[in-house]
Amino acid sequence: MSKKVKDFESFGQFNVVVFGGDGDLAFRKIYPALFHRMLDGQIEESFNLVAVIRKEPNIELLRQKVRQFLYSADGKPASDKQWEGFNKAISWIQAESAEVVHYAKLFSFLSQFPDYRTIFYFSTPSSAFGAISKALKACGLINEQSKVVLEKPLGNNLASSNQINTEIRQAFAEHQVYRIDHYLGKETVQNLMVLRFANNLFQRTWDSASIDNIQITVSESLGVEQRAVYYDQSGALLDMVQNHLLQLLCLVAMEPPHVLAADEVRNEKLKVLKALRPMTGDSVLTDTVKGQYTRGNVQGVQVNSYLEDIGKYQSKTETFVAIRAYIDNFRWKNVPFYLRTGKRMKKRYSEIVINFKEMEHNIFPAKEKLNNNKLIIRLQPEERIELIQMTKIPGPGGYRYKPIALSLDYMDSFKERLPEAYERLLIDVIRGNQTLFMRHDELQAAWQWIETLTESWKQSQQANILYEAGTWGPGDTILNPGTSWITKSWRD
Ligand code: BG6
């Protein structure tokens, strides 16, 4: 089990302490991520995984539940041997609340490993982050080697996010804080950096002179699942745009950092966020659309409306949002960035489409339309890059052409299992690389822009447009005047 399959660097000994250790995220993402890194030989069995939970632990049940989410690289359930190795690393510790008296068990457990570095993973609502940090500090559990991972959402507006940050910073320094956005751990998202900054081909075409518009879409077929309470307070804008979509936008739009170093990359992302054109009471009406799903049929299954899903008679929360955003700088002057995301859409897919400008002059006699080039970066469910280019149709009798994709499929090209986002991100925390984590000023800038939008929504009293589950959202139904852009290249 602990055999080193690849030649990985050694991380030394460490603890990962997960607060909210019996939460959905821990079972679905954090434990499987650590398990896979262990299977791959990247982390040793000698690390400690400490799951902190509020209730009296029923260890047998918890173990069964952890195992249920563990699969080996070939997709089969974890074998007994694989499971035993992982199970040995886990300890379940109860702490009823974030107070020093309740951290005694945690304290005595961690005291047995004075030389281990400790990563504290806060997988609880962010309202608890301040209290947990305070109690850890009071127990003397934080030192220069400690790190803290913060799950989103960090607050629900600029003020609450700043407040949480202030509380965290009383216990941890900024270089110890890892604000996670799992989209940045996706292989295809990281490949954006390589695509843009390792290929000369795109260097001189990545700007308003060559690009007509950029579309970033995260479409989900799922509804709100078991997260009604959280989701109804957030909505699509805060749940997806404030973090994932804005981060994707930053990677697509930022200037090249002069070296690949955490702060250099984050400085460039920050500049993009600061250059986002603020929304106003007028511009939200033409540049945003929000919607909420009603009953419908998603891939052959009849599903409830949002209101039925959350068990309420009414709610103003949006489950779909589309935004036309602009970045006011030299590179992107007047290039629209379309950001779209929604729940209960026709199907699940995420992609970034770079739409190049049309050819200015057509030399071909037939004058058939020359479609513009597109670079399509498919993030999920498949990981693929396509460059759509005009190609001659073979045969005599003059030039005829049509758009054809030059395609690179990640799975075909690399023929190995792609690590899940959380695997990469957790390893980066362990090795102390903050490049893929948001710095506080980035988060602030994202909130500042989002607030121009939420405030303008309030001011203009913009209402949700209802859309049927299983469709492409409000674009399929009635739109506000001036928002027909929403259907632009919306893919089938
Ligand atoms: C989470 C959101 O951050 O991302 C969820 O809270 C959403 O609502 C999820 O479903 C989407 O992630 P992925 O990786 O499945 O696209």
Side-chain angles (χ1 to χ4, degrees), residues 152 182-183 186 220 227 239-240 244 343 348 380:
K152 69 160 255 274
H182 78 278
Y183 265 62
K186 292 181 191 272
E220 297 189 273
R227 301 155 74 222
D239 185 49
M240 296 296 289
H244 307 322
K343 298 247 182 232
R348 173 180 185 245
Q380 54 195 29

Side-chain angles (χ1 to χ4, degrees), residues 7 35 47 68 100 116 156 170 222 283 306 329 355 378 419 423 449 464:
D7 189 18
F35 175 71
F47 89 106
Q68 198 184 311
V100 175
Y116 280 40
N156 49 19
Q170 279 158 13
L222 290 178
S283 66
Y306 174 69
N329 65 13
N355 275 306
R378 177 65 76 105
E423 294 176 47
W449 183 72
N464 283 323

Side-chain angles (χ1 to χ4, degrees), residues 94-135:
Q94 187 191 11
E96 276 166 48
S97 66
E99 283 163 68
V100 175
V101 282
H102 293 133
Y103 279 8
K105 286 185 201 147
L106 179 63
F107 180 81
S108 59
F109 179 89
L110 294 178
S111 307
Q112 299 169 67
F113 306 95
D115 301 331
Y116 280 40
R117 285 171 297 138
T118 301
I119 290 146
F120 298 103
Y121 197 125
F122 292 0
S123 176
T124 64
S126 59
S127 49
F129 290 179
I132 303 176
S133 310
K134 194 169 166 197

Side-chain angles (χ1 to χ4, degrees), residues 221 293-305 308-309 344 468-470:
S221 52
Y293 63 83
T294 58
R295 283 185 193 176
N297 188 304
V298 182
Q299 291 159 357
V301 180
Q302 217 37 52
V303 298
N304 283 340
S305 68
E308 287 164 329
D309 279 348
R344 285 282 186 239
E468 202 183 316

Side-chain angles (χ1 to χ4, degrees), residues 217-281:
T217 305
V218 179
S219 157
E220 297 189 273
S221 52
L222 290 178
V224 293
E225 310 303 298
Q226 320 310 327
R227 301 155 74 222
V229 176
Y230 152 75
Y231 195 89
D232 203 42
Q233 290 162 6
S234 308
L237 184 73
L238 305 193
D239 185 49
M240 296 296 289
V241 179
Q242 189 272 345
N243 35 75
H244 307 322
L245 276 87
L246 283 187
Q247 285 295 314
L248 295 178
L249 173 108
C250 285
L251 292 179
V252 171
M254 72 185 197
E255 296 302 314
H258 76 102
V259 284
L260 189 67
D263 274 334
E264 301 305 331
V265 173
R266 300 192 295 178
N267 289 344
E268 297 306 334
K269 282 162 59 193
L270 177 64
K271 287 182 202 158
V272 174
L273 292 167
K274 285 189 161 172
L276 276 168
R277 188 180 300 169
M279 286 287 170
T280 63

Side-chain angles (χ1 to χ4, degrees), residues 81-186:
K81 193 161 168 242
Q82 291 169 334
W83 163 242
E84 275 319 311
F86 190 65
N87 187 28
K88 261 201 295 190
I90 314 181
S91 304
W92 300 93
I93 289 187
Q94 187 191 11
E96 276 166 48
S97 66
E99 283 163 68
V100 175
V101 282
H102 293 133
Y103 279 8
K105 286 185 201 147
L106 179 63
F107 180 81
S108 59
F109 179 89
L110 294 178
S111 307
Q112 299 169 67
F113 306 95
D115 301 331
Y116 280 40
R117 285 171 297 138
T118 301
I119 290 146
F120 298 103
Y121 197 125
F122 292 0
S123 176
T124 64
S126 59
S127 49
F129 290 179
I132 303 176
S133 310
K134 194 169 166 197
L136 289 175
K137 189 176 174 194
C139 292
L141 287 172
I142 302 174
N143 60 33
E144 187 44 34
Q145 297 290 312
S146 315
K147 300 186 173 86
V148 62
V149 183
L150 307 179
E151 264 299 334
K152 69 160 255 274
L154 284 166
N156 49 19
N157 54 25
L158 180 61
S160 58
S161 164
N162 280 343
Q163 171 66 27
I164 294 166
N165 188 64
T166 308
E167 290 167 5
I168 302 266
R169 290 294 307 281
Q170 279 158 13
F172 297 92
E174 180 65 26
H175 71 267
Q176 298 176 293
V177 182
Y178 291 72
R179 298 178 189 83
I180 208 163
D181 183 316
H182 78 278
Y183 265 62
L184 296 184
K186 292 181 191 272

